[in-house]
Amino acid sequence: MAVSTRIYITSAEGHTGKSTIALGVLDTLSHELGRVGVFRPVARSTDERDYVLELLLAHDGVDLGYDQCVGVTYDDVHADPDAALATIVSRFAAVERQCDAVVVIGSDYTDVGSPTELSFNARVAANLGAPVLLVLGGRSSDGGSARSGAEMRQVAEVTTAELRSEHASLLGVVANRVEPERLDEVVSGIGGALASSPWGAVPVWALPEDRLLVAPTVRAVLSATGATLLSGDEALLDREAVGVVVAAMSMENVLPRLTEGAIVVVPGDRSDVLVATVLAHASETFPSLAGIVLNGGFELAPQVERLIAGLDSPLPIAHNDLGTYDTALAITQTRGRLAADSSRKHDLALSLFETHVDGEQLLRLLQVSPSGVVTPLMFEYQLLERARGVQKHIVMPEGDDDRILRAASTLLQRGVARITLLGDEPAIRARGAELGLDLAEARILDPFDPSLQVQFAAEYAKLRAHKGISASMAMDTVTDVSYFGTMMVKLGLADGMVSGAKHTTAHTIRPAFEVIKTLPDVGVVSSVFLMALADRVLVYGDCAVIPDPTAEQLADIAISSAQTAEQFGIEPRVAMLSYSTGDSGSGADVEKVRAATALVRERRPDLLVEGPIQYDAAADPTVAAAKMPDSEVAGRATVFIFPDLNTGNNTYKAVQRSAGAVAIGPILQGLRKPINDLSRGALVGDIVNTVAITAIQAGTDSAPTTVTTPEGIPS
């Protein structure tokens, strides 16, 4: 099937950060269309895998193999450009037949002169019938000096003339890596070059330079300098090195020159400087470093090795055989890459694109119509967008867990929610810096903060006085991170809480039962999973909380689940599941479901509900036509209510594994304010989704009262 959406992303020279733009375009299309492809017309070689293509193929919205997404190599183009073009068109067509849209990424200017290469890219775009999104570099082609608006105008005039000569169509222009204070100047300059464009009004967008996106990782630095890791946390090798400090001087002169995120080059025979640098990294009064490279090929003395080992520092320390000059030169010449395994760069790139490129305008230009299906990726994007729109404040008690820190960094960079982390602030910020995370906007509170402890204890003692809780008992209780976070929600210092990465479900939700309590018309707290299938999203409840609900509790679960479905844009059609359909069976379990269905109809006559009904009759229109032909729910159910926890928990896991569904949850429902639990095996993406869900739940409630603590910390 031919697709209506194609876009060709190319640049006029190297080092423009084209991969950032390609990732942003791919992500934007994936939120609207079910099947998005990637195609690389010209790759470097068949022997070395193309890292840009691998980056894009790793995106959740793409389901294609590497080899099928490559056209030809540079050698093929040199040997016979016409034959290479024919091969490109043929291989592109094979990819396009599998997709609703294809993002085509032009070549990288690593082989031939710019005019020739741009001309060939324009020719390919014209032959593919793909409009060009032109990426212009806001810095000189070697990545050095920043360009002015006038210089960008000249570049735009030359490059667009090249596109016209090859009959390519220009969709828009993105100026990337622009000096932040020159964004408007650059847009104006490029706009002037396009004023008489034969393509009509062409949008121009500009993205600012960010040092992090072009910074190499510590791992890349060690590879470039031929260094071998001696000690330190290997997880920190993926941190970006944003500077280099050559420490070929005395200790007292090195320390003032240390900078945040720098690689420090230390002569291998200067053990005093090595020890001082490691201690400085551990200190709260010095910058957090990315790593140390010991150069010169010197072996550390055994006693120095023992001393370093005793410090137990996570800071990566490596050594090589190069001299100081060659080591520093190799580091400064190492360029960073936007790779699939760099979550911080990935988040930053998408944040820059979303902030500075009008995604809706881009989709209109490409004439993209929303898909009739909802894929897991599309649904997850909708969650983040809705959460971003309400801007709620979520507390995450487990600030000592790396997954929580990574999720918090993503949430903050993407602007999804405001975040408070609980724990020791210096330790959390130090660990975040070591992991290369951006937690600058996170609020960090200590559960043992005296003023907050007194305030929370007084409130907790008042709430639990009927259970014999004294003020002194309350003082101990509220320092537990789950209670502390719950009290923040209770008092309006946060809109919701997400916990459970390191704690049990009971530890997370017991404080909510005691403090937050249930909604007035809800008898029980229950849970649902949002099951994102290949083409739609279903609601499963209860799969996590109530082992064997009564008929009254089952009715509560059904009504709460229908309300949750509505919160997330799912039209509720409720199936009360059993092992029989309609009047075909009997027995205590069936009668419980029948009674629960009657209660739902009595309490919510506006809801579409059917029960008892078997799963196949609820989900499959063909089976429904035979078993319940007149039902408005059978065959079309969106909310599935299981008769007990055993059935619900096993069914959601079976569907998750066998159908490849994305299970989002458990989402707690029935509480006055949102508290949500995580699986202790939760991945970073699961945590991000749960925080987004919690923010959306909070957004449907009335705004919390702003409370100022004794320290003056507003909500």
Side-chain angles (χ1 to χ4, degrees), residues 552-564:
E552 291 75 14
Q553 290 174 328
L554 209 54
D556 263 341
I557 293 168
I559 292 170
S560 293
S561 300
Q563 291 170 340
T564 299

Side-chain angles (χ1 to χ4, degrees), residues 83-95:
L85 181 58
T87 301
I88 288 170
V89 172
S90 174
R91 293 186 65 82
F92 172 79
V95 169

Side-chain angles (χ1 to χ4, degrees), residues 11 42 182 230 238-239 253 338 369 450 496 529 586 614 682 695 708:
S11 54
V42 184
R182 287 182 168 175
L230 293 176
D238 294 321
R239 179 182 181 180
N253 288 320
L338 179 57
S369 299
F529 278 88
S586 62
Q614 292 162 291
T708 302

